[in-house]
């Protein structure tokens, strides 16, 4: 197939096909993905309601959790409507500029989520390794500065990706073998030299995910070292319990992230496996985070229980 000259890129449409090789069963695959989206939306909205209302949750860890919930909610909004439209209605057409917009928000919010996980790891490190200075270090101003740095880093680094893609003129196809506009999936459509796009995409991945993962990993190593040096068994258990939710979230986010990243560039996994797992990577953390933190946080459990008790009382 010859290259398609797309000099007027703004007026052209691309087509997302969903999950290559599973087009015949995409309608049914849409239901579990819809379930994940529903859990993610409801769970994160609950966190965004509970944390501002419950005064006992006005602490650095829960403020960062609220920012994480807002980021996860944004990810669901960015990916779910179009993905479900492809699965259920075969509506894969999308303006190229709209595709680049989705690409920006998906990857920028991924970067923000990674940065917030790093900030939460730093919070736990200070809380356990230097508890007397925890409040003095993690002031409201410092939290705002951390979140702004995370947001600016992700926005600036990811913002260059669609700018570079706009420079491409020759494409072998206008069909994207994915369920959302992912950077490498769009790059693979190009007929011309894309070494700059690939190299910069690799740089962004390591500058955000790689950097954050290394520092989160070392933070938890130092935390575990401090925990095991506590003199009392009860103190060790209590300190470890404050970190278990973070460790679970950290593992599921970065394991899925790096599998998706490396399989797209260097792996030889079947396309449908990669697309399924890369989509799960975007939807599983937003769905799991509220559950993990909700189960581990007493105040959130009590607040949710009060809601259900109130509903039962009004019905009886």
């Amino acid at each position: 197939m010859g290259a398609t000259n797309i000099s007027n890129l703004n007026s052209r449409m691309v087509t997302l096909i969903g999950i290559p090789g599973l087009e015949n069963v995409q309608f049914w695959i849409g239901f579990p993905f819809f379930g994940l989206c529903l859990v993610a939306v409801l769970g994160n909205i609950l966190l965004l309601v509970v944390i501002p209302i419950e005064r006992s949750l006005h602490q650095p860890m829960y403020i960062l959790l609220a920012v994480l919930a807002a980021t996860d909610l944004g990810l669901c909004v960015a990916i779910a409507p179009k993905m479900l439209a492809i699965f259920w209605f075969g509506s894969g057409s999308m303006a190229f500029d709209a595709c680049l917009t989705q690409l920006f928000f998906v990857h920028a919010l991924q970067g923000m989520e990674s940065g917030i996980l790093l900030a939460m790891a730093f919070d736990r490190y200070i809380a356990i390794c230097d508890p007397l200075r925890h409040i003095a270090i993690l002031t409201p101003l410092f939290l705002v500065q951390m979140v702004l740095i995370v947001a600016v880093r992700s926005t600036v680094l990811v913002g260059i990706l669609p700018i570079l893609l706009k420079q491409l003129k020759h494409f072998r196809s206008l069909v994207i073998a994915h369920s959302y506009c992912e950077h490498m999936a769009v790059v693979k459509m190009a007929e011309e030299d894309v070494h700059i796009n690939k190299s910069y995409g690799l740089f962004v991945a390591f500058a955000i995910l790689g950097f954050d993962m290394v520092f989160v990993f070392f933070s938890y190593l130092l935390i575990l070292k401090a925990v095991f040096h506590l003199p009392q068994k009860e103190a060790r258990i209590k300190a470890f319990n404050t970190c278990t939710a973070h460790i679970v979230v950290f593992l599921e986010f970065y394991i899925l992230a790096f599998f998706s990243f490396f399989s797209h560039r260097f792996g030889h996994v079947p396309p449908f496996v990669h697309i399924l797992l890369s989509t799960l990577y975007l939807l599983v953390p937003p769905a799991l985070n509220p559950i993990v933190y909700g189960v581990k946080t007493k105040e959130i459990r009590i607040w949710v229980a009060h809601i259900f008790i109130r509903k039962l009382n009004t019905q009886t």
Side-chain angles (χ1 to χ4, degrees):
M1 184 184 291
T4 304
N5 187 348
I6 310 178
S7 56
N8 186 12
L9 213 53
N10 294 330
S11 64
R12 299 307 296 257
M13 303 290 289
V14 296
T15 302
L16 292 156
I17 64 173
I19 304 173
L22 298 180
E23 291 90 347
N24 294 332
V25 294
Q26 281 186 160
F27 179 82
W28 304 107
I29 292 173
F31 288 100
F33 278 124
F34 173 72
L36 276 175
C37 294
L38 190 62
V39 170
V41 169
L42 293 177
N44 286 296
I45 287 175
L46 181 66
L47 289 179
L48 289 172
V49 170
V50 174
I51 291 171
I53 290 174
E54 183 61 51
R55 297 180 69 88
S56 62
L57 297 178
H58 294 178
Q59 303 171 33
M61 183 178 77
Y62 298 111
I63 293 169
L64 291 172
L65 178 57
V67 177
L68 183 67
T71 304
D72 285 340
L73 202 56
L75 261 178
C76 289
V77 171
I79 187 178
K82 188 61 183 178
M83 179 189 69
L84 293 174
I86 295 167
F87 290 169
W88 287 344
F89 308 112
S91 178
S93 296
M94 195 177 198
F96 193 82
D97 280 351
C99 178
L100 293 183
T101 301
Q102 186 191 50
L103 181 152
F104 167 75
F105 279 106
V106 167
H107 292 304
L109 289 167
Q110 283 176 309
M112 280 194 65
E113 180 158 8
S114 178
I116 296 302
L117 290 177
L118 175 59
M120 294 173 84
F122 178 71
D123 167 70
R124 289 299 86 201
Y125 168 74
I126 299 296
I128 290 172
C129 298
D130 197 1
L132 297 178
R133 298 180 60 210
H134 182 241
I135 300 300
I137 294 173
L138 289 161
T139 62
L141 177 61
F142 184 77
L143 289 174
V144 170
Q145 290 172 339
M146 271 204 304
V147 172
L148 283 176
I149 289 170
V150 166
V152 170
R153 178 191 68 164
S154 187
T155 301
V156 171
L157 290 177
V158 173
I160 297 173
L161 294 176
I163 293 172
L164 290 175
L165 287 170
K166 288 281 283 185
Q167 310 310 310
L168 301 176
K169 303 298 179 186
H170 300 282
F171 289 74
R172 65 170 61 91
S173 170
L174 293 176
V175 176
I176 301 175
H178 217 301
S179 56
Y180 62 93
C181 289
E182 193 266 349
H183 177 247
M184 280 304 298
V186 177
V187 167
K188 285 180 178 180
M189 295 194 306
E191 185 74 19
E192 57 194 274
D193 183 22
V194 290
H195 280 101
I196 293 176
N197 302 77
K198 288 183 177 180
S199 298
Y200 185 73
L202 202 63
F203 166 74
V204 170
F206 280 103
I208 296 178
L209 294 180
F211 176 88
D212 292 349
M213 188 185 73
V214 169
F215 279 91
V216 170
F217 179 74
F218 279 112
S219 295
Y220 283 115
L221 280 183
L222 293 172
I223 288 169
L224 291 174
K225 181 181 177 182
V227 167
F228 289 122
H229 278 85
L230 291 173
Q232 295 180 333
K233 183 180 178 181
E234 292 77 10
R236 289 198 299 269
I237 293 172
K238 183 178 179 181
F240 186 74
N241 280 338
T242 64
C243 297
T244 52
H246 300 281
I247 292 171
V248 170
V249 169
F250 161 68
L251 289 175
E252 50 97 3
F253 178 83
Y254 286 107
I255 288 172
L256 285 171
F258 275 89
F259 179 86
S260 173
F261 175 79
F262 285 113
S263 66
H264 216 325
R265 287 162 176 79
F266 312 114
H268 300 285
V269 297
F272 75 91
V273 174
H274 166 72
I275 304 303
L276 273 174
L277 288 175
S278 64
T279 307
L280 286 172
Y281 156 58
L282 288 184
L283 295 177
V284 169
L288 273 185
N289 292 350
I291 296 172
V292 171
Y293 286 110
V295 168
K296 292 297 294 181
T297 307
K298 182 181 176 182
E299 291 83 357
I300 296 175
R301 293 200 309 269
I302 292 171
W303 202 89
V304 172
H306 282 166
I307 292 176
F308 283 106
I309 291 169
R310 208 175 303 158
K311 282 189 175 182
L312 288 172
N313 289 338
T314 55
Q315 290 175 357
T316 55

